[in-house]
Amino acid sequence: MQPRSPSRTAQRVATLRAAHQTLDHGRLFHDPLAVRMLGADADELLGEFDAARTAPERRRFRLFIAARSRFAEDHLAAAVTRGVRQLVVLGAGLDTFAYRNPHEAAGLAVFEVDHPATQEWKRERLSSAGIPLPPSLTFAPVDFERESLGDGLAAAGFDPARPAFFSWLGVVPYLTREAVFGTLGHLAGLPGGAEAVFDYSEPPSAMTPRVRAVHHTRAARVAALGEPFLSYFAPEELAADLREAGFAAVEDLDAVRLLARYAGERADGSAGRAPAEGRRRSTAHVLRVATAG
């Protein structure tokens, strides 16, 4: 990523969140700032989604993006009731949680970690949209080619001795396995304890031919933007590796079960309960882990 060149996939995800507000009326995940964050590009970007509102694959992916945010924020709310007062948003992009923080009065501090170029772009977007920076927010610019997550958080005032919640959405597929477990290893070693939510995808070999074709199209698009998919995980192996890394709790939902939980529908868009084990499933996942501390 070059200076002043923000993540293109971050803009894409922000557009999906905004499209959920306009096309689905925010029924899975309400974000009143999502459209404003798109700024002057909102009409053009949302127009593309409106033209394809009936495309099943696009709708399923849009709902998954909304549901994974709901999943993360639901677990964050539960963590706050247990006394957690630090949230770290890894690869924050245009995420809006810090600017609509319902736990600010409870003392929840938010640290947004991202590449300096993406954070500069976000600050410009916030200013243009008239969205103020809350006192509970601290930007933690980290260029991972030059500094570690621990150093970046320490410089921002993060306290590793206090429990923390980490939201890490839309990032893991773009990292190498080594980078993913380097970050998870750091979280597992925090003396105050950590809980994290992140998403991942199973390998293309686990996908049906139809889903694999859609995935390859999406993979080609993000690769053309300079942000290719780099990692995939098999659920059983990932769960074992996470426990070995030091996480005591693992909750993993594929998109079918995630949408059944929040929308009462399957990932194929039809209504009904989650499928029985061994029947229809998805290779897109959202996962929550926590340390024993």
Side-chain angles (χ1 to χ4, degrees):
M1 185 178 293
Q2 300 300 316
R4 297 189 64 81
S5 297
S7 167
R8 296 288 297 279
T9 55
Q11 184 180 48
R12 181 75 174 175
V13 170
T15 305
L16 285 164
R17 284 196 297 262
H20 177 62
Q21 307 307 307
T22 61
L23 302 184
D24 309 310
H25 309 292
R27 67 187 183 93
L28 275 84
F29 178 68
H30 180 59
D31 183 348
L33 300 179
V35 176
R36 289 174 62 186
M37 283 296 291
L38 296 181
D41 300 328
D43 289 343
E44 178 182 352
L45 293 170
L46 292 175
E48 173 191 347
F49 282 91
D50 187 57
R53 68 163 66 223
T54 59
E57 293 296 341
R58 291 198 178 194
R59 179 178 181 274
R60 287 194 288 270
F61 188 56
R62 184 174 73 243
L63 291 179
F64 173 73
I65 295 298
R68 74 182 186 186
S69 293
R70 169 79 175 276
F71 179 84
E73 294 192 16
D74 281 357
H75 281 292
L76 169 63
V80 170
T81 65
R82 297 193 302 270
V84 172
R85 294 296 182 266
Q86 297 185 113
L87 165 66
V88 179
V89 186
L90 296 172
L94 294 179
D95 184 85
T96 67
F97 177 85
Y99 315 95
R100 51 179 176 80
N101 179 2
H103 312 295
E104 188 169 26
L108 180 68
V110 182
F111 300 87
E112 286 196 356
V113 177
D114 218 327
H115 189 280
T118 296
Q119 287 198 337
E120 183 177 357
W121 170 61
K122 182 172 188 175
R123 284 175 176 265
E124 293 171 354
R125 285 291 179 109
L126 290 165
S127 177
S128 297
I131 300 174
L133 303 182
S136 57
L137 169 67
T138 301
F139 288 103
V142 177
D143 183 343
F144 287 99
E145 293 183 0
R146 297 179 173 84
E147 61 185 317
S148 69
L149 173 61
D151 290 342
L153 284 175
F158 174 83
D159 185 353
R162 297 172 59 209
F165 189 98
F166 291 78
S167 179
W168 198 17
L169 301 179
V171 179
V172 165
Y174 303 97
L175 303 178
T176 64
R177 179 184 176 87
E178 292 71 26
V180 170
F181 274 92
T183 296
L184 290 170
H186 176 76
L187 271 55
L190 290 173
E195 181 176 358
V197 170
F198 65 91
D199 59 304
Y200 73 94
S201 175
E202 294 182 45
S205 59
M207 302 174 185
T208 64
R210 181 178 60 82
V211 172
R212 189 181 307 125
V214 173
H215 173 78
H216 285 327
T217 298
R218 186 176 298 143
R221 182 171 61 245
V222 298
L225 296 175
E227 301 174 39
F229 293 139
L230 297 177
S231 68
Y232 301 92
F233 299 93
E236 297 80 5
E237 294 176 5
L238 178 58
D241 290 342
L242 287 167
R243 292 189 174 93
E244 184 176 348
F247 292 100
V250 177
E251 178 185 10
D252 189 329
L253 295 176
D254 71 3
V256 170
R257 287 165 177 77
L258 184 68
L259 293 183
R261 171 179 293 188
Y262 289 119
E265 66 176 55
R266 300 198 301 267
D268 60 5
S270 60
R273 299 169 59 87
E277 197 68 34
R279 296 182 64 190
R280 183 177 175 87
R281 54 186 291 275
S282 170
T283 53
H285 294 249
V286 64
L287 185 150
R288 181 185 65 87
V289 294
T291 61

